[in-house]
């Protein structure tokens, strides 16, 4: 499954100063036809990194359009409900659920759309989407900036997420239903990459997580790091010290790396990323990539992924569409091997319980993805000490999930 290192060395990007390697992971395993587009993106992003005008325009839009900074909110109800008496930790939520469009994804979509317009001079944007959240965020950024927008979505997903398809169309995007393969996210990414190869002159591809070939994992991480930068300043302001624990759910890994990155050098801050345990990691029906520890290449990057006994990419399962992807961002693979971040999982059942309990106890309905982080918070709080300070990323709000949860609860015995 893993190509030899020489496959990667043949890529022109390998000669760039930053090759997008995260230890043995990452890199750029792509067809020749995409190398020009990725080279152009590497150069544009390197240029933009040192341009204060770009970042001040990005910050201005994050403040005025997205509603940043998002609040850091102390959740005393959960401290009381979930900890041993006398041993309650302090618990905070970073409220990405209050960002415009309801999740952290807008941070990345807006950053890349701005990059495409101001630096790459491209007028057409394409993106993939699974449940539709990244598609909605990208269509929103394109409406704001006056860019053409085409969203690739598996046919099966367009049926499951009809409301988000309508939202994207309202925002002026064209939604292309992908009929190949399993008609889900993986196939939508393949189709978006095919479009990009054909239309690279006027088109930028906004990838939705810290995945894909270099430089995407770096670009997406940098745009999402606003979460951790804000959270760091906010917790120091509120508590006068750093958190003892950070907790985030991990699909591709963008909300988690966005929170973690500005704390990586703080060795006393423990970090826990929560994968989708689906029906249980023993059943094989899950999206817990670190539970099986297979390394391979998917969508241009080398990382941990889920494969079947023949080395083929496996169908994953999770109650939460945003965590339902067979690979994980390559920087997470490195952080796992270094032991800097602990990777755990929460099952569908645990996430569904956390979804309901969090709503009832706090007045916040979490996204099903974020409910995996909340499910782990519950386990952490139960064995915490009163000096612990736990910060959980509430990556998105649950409005999008209430219908499917209602359906699941009605069917449950
Ligand atoms: C898409 C999504 C995720 C998973 O994506 P990451 O790149 O792992 O952050 C998590 N939470 C919400 C609310 C999402 O929409």
């Amino acid at each position: 499954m893993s190509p030899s290192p020489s496959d990667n060395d043949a890529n022109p990007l390998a000669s760039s100063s930053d090759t997008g390697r995260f230890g043995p992971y990452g890199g750029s395993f792509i067809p020749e036809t995409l190398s020009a587009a990725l080279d152009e993106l590497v150069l544009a992003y390197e240029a933009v990194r040192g341009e204060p005008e770009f970042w001040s325009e990005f910050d201005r839009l994050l403040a005025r359009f997205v509603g940043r900074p998002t609040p850091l909110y102390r959740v005393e109800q959960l401290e009381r409900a979930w900890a041993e008496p006398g041993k309650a930790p302090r618990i905070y939520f970073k409220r990405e659920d209050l960002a415009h469009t309801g999740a952290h994804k807008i941070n990345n979509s807006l950053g890349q759309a701005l990059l495409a317009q101001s630096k790459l001079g491209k007028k057409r944007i394409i993106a993939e989407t699974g449940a539709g959240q990244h598609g909605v965020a990208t269509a929103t950024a394109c409406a704001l900036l006056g860019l053409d927008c085409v969203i690739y979505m598996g046919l099966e997903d367009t049926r499951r997420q009809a409301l988000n398809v309508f939202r994207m169309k309202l925002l002026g995007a064209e939604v292309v239903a992908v009929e190949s393969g399993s008609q889900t996210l993986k196939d939508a990414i393949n189709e978006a990459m095919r479009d990009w190869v054909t239309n690279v002159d006027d088109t930028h591809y906004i990838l939705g997580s810290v995945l894909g070939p270099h430089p995407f994992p770096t670009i997406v991480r940098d745009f999402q790091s606003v979460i951790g930068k804000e959270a760091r300043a906010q917790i120091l302001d509120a508590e006068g010290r750093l958190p003892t624990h950070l907790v985030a759910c991990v699909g591709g890994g963008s909300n988690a790396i966005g929170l973690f990155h500005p704390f990586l050098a703080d060795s006393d801050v423990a970090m826990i990323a929560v994968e989708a345990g689906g029906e249980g990691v023993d059943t094989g029906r899950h999206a817990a990539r670190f539970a099986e520890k297979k390394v391979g290449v998917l969508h241009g990057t080398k990382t941990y992924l889920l494969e079947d006994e023949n080395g083929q990419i496996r169908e994953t399962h999770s109650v939460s569409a945003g965590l339902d992807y067979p690979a994980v961002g390559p920087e997470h693979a490195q952080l796992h091997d270094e032991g800097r971040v602990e990777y755990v999982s929460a099952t569908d059942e645990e996430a569904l319980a956390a979804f309901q309990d969090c709503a009832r106890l706090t007045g916040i309905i979490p996204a099903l993805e974020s409910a995996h982080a909340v499910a782990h918070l519950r386990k952490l709080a139960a064995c915490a000490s009163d000096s612990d300070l736990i910060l959980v990323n509430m990556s998105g709000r649950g409005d999008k999930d209430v219908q499917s949860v209602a359906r699941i609860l009605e069917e449950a015995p």
Side-chain angles (χ1 to χ4, degrees):
M1 181 81 221
S2 314
S4 71
S6 62
D7 291 349
N8 200 34
D9 292 342
N11 189 297
L13 282 176
S15 62
S16 159
S17 59
D18 176 4
T19 57
R21 298 285 192 91
F22 299 96
Y25 308 107
S28 187
F29 298 84
I30 50 158
E32 193 61 38
T33 41
L34 270 182
S35 61
L38 287 166
D39 277 348
E40 182 188 34
L41 187 57
V42 166
L43 290 177
Y45 190 63
E46 271 173 13
V48 129
R49 270 180 153 166
E51 270 179 29
E53 304 79 30
F54 177 85
W55 296 98
S56 64
E57 178 60 4
F58 183 47
D59 287 346
R60 191 185 71 83
L61 290 173
L62 286 179
R64 306 280 171 82
F65 186 71
V66 175
R68 305 204 70 92
T70 57
L72 186 74
Y73 171 68
R74 184 169 165 203
V75 207
E76 291 175 67
Q77 304 92 323
L78 297 185
E79 297 171 5
R80 283 193 298 271
W82 287 352
E84 295 278 328
K87 292 210 238 157
R90 294 208 168 192
I91 298 173
Y92 283 82
F93 282 168
K94 178 61 172 159
R95 300 289 309 273
E96 291 302 290
D97 59 311
L98 294 179
H100 182 44
T101 70
H104 66 290
K105 291 213 168 65
I106 189 74
N107 304 325
N108 169 52
S109 293
L110 193 55
Q112 287 201 52
L114 201 58
L115 183 68
Q117 186 175 59
S118 68
K119 207 66 202 170
L120 297 162
K122 297 195 172 172
K123 295 183 167 47
R124 182 174 177 268
I125 297 294
I126 57 172
E128 84 292 343
T129 198
Q133 294 306 107
H134 176 56
V136 168
T138 300
T140 299
C142 290
L144 171 73
L145 298 176
L147 296 163
D148 292 339
C149 181
V150 178
I151 303 294
Y152 287 92
M153 190 170 185
L155 181 65
E156 180 61 29
D157 288 334
T158 62
R159 293 205 189 100
R160 287 195 286 208
Q161 301 289 336
L163 194 58
N164 273 339
V165 174
F166 184 65
R167 274 198 191 101
M168 289 182 259
K169 289 181 175 166
L170 262 182
L171 291 159
E174 180 190 341
V175 179
V176 178
V178 175
E179 297 185 35
S180 56
S182 55
Q183 307 186 337
T184 57
L185 178 62
K186 181 163 59 70
D187 315 290
I189 296 181
N190 289 338
E191 211 54 47
M193 287 199 166
R194 225 164 274 148
D195 178 318
W196 204 24
V197 169
T198 315
N199 299 300
V200 64
D201 287 343
D202 71 342
T203 299
H204 174 61
Y205 175 23
I206 300 189
L207 206 92
S209 190
V210 285
L211 295 163
H214 178 59
F216 283 113
T218 303
I219 292 181
V220 179
R221 177 199 70 203
D222 289 354
F223 287 139
Q224 292 294 3
S225 291
V226 67
I227 302 171
K229 284 182 202 150
E230 286 177 5
R232 202 171 192 288
Q234 288 169 319
I235 196 76
L236 286 173
D237 191 40
E239 295 284 340
R241 62 183 178 129
L242 291 174
T244 55
H245 299 78
L246 299 177
V247 182
C249 64
V250 55
S254 69
N255 88 87
I257 210 88
L259 176 66
F260 295 168
H261 208 260
F263 293 91
L264 281 178
D266 303 306
S267 53
D268 290 341
V269 179
M271 301 182 186
I272 305 157
V274 189
E275 299 187 283
E279 295 176 7
V281 293
D282 303 337
T283 67
R285 287 177 51 76
H286 59 81
R289 289 74 38 113
F290 291 110
E292 299 190 7
K293 304 222 185 344
K294 288 280 182 9
V295 173
V297 170
L298 181 64
H299 295 136
T301 193
K302 184 172 177 182
T303 186
Y304 283 86
L305 41 70
L306 289 171
E307 51 184 41
D308 64 19
E309 61 277 13
N310 300 316
Q312 299 296 312
I313 299 300
R314 196 165 88 212
E315 292 283 303
T316 51
H317 173 81
S318 170
V319 69
S320 134
L323 303 184
D324 204 355
Y325 180 73
V328 66
E331 191 164 8
H332 284 287
Q334 183 185 32
L335 291 169
H336 167 270
D337 288 9
E338 291 172 353
R340 181 64 189 95
V341 176
E342 185 190 354
Y343 292 82
V344 299
S345 64
T347 62
D348 286 353
E349 201 179 316
E350 291 168 331
L352 282 165
F355 180 89
Q356 297 169 80
D357 293 340
C358 183
R360 185 169 40 80
L361 292 168
T362 73
I364 298 166
I365 303 177
L368 274 176
E369 292 83 2
S370 323
H372 287 71
V374 177
H376 190 74
L377 166 69
R378 181 178 205 149
K379 300 175 198 170
L380 210 54
C383 56
S385 81
D386 61 1
S387 60
D388 285 345
L389 178 53
I390 306 173
L391 197 162
V392 179
N393 202 18
M394 182 55 63
S395 57
R397 59 177 171 245
D399 306 39
K400 67 183 178 63
D401 297 314
V402 290
Q403 265 185 321
S404 65
V405 171
R407 219 175 295 132
I408 292 166
L409 297 181
E410 275 160 23
E411 282 167 13

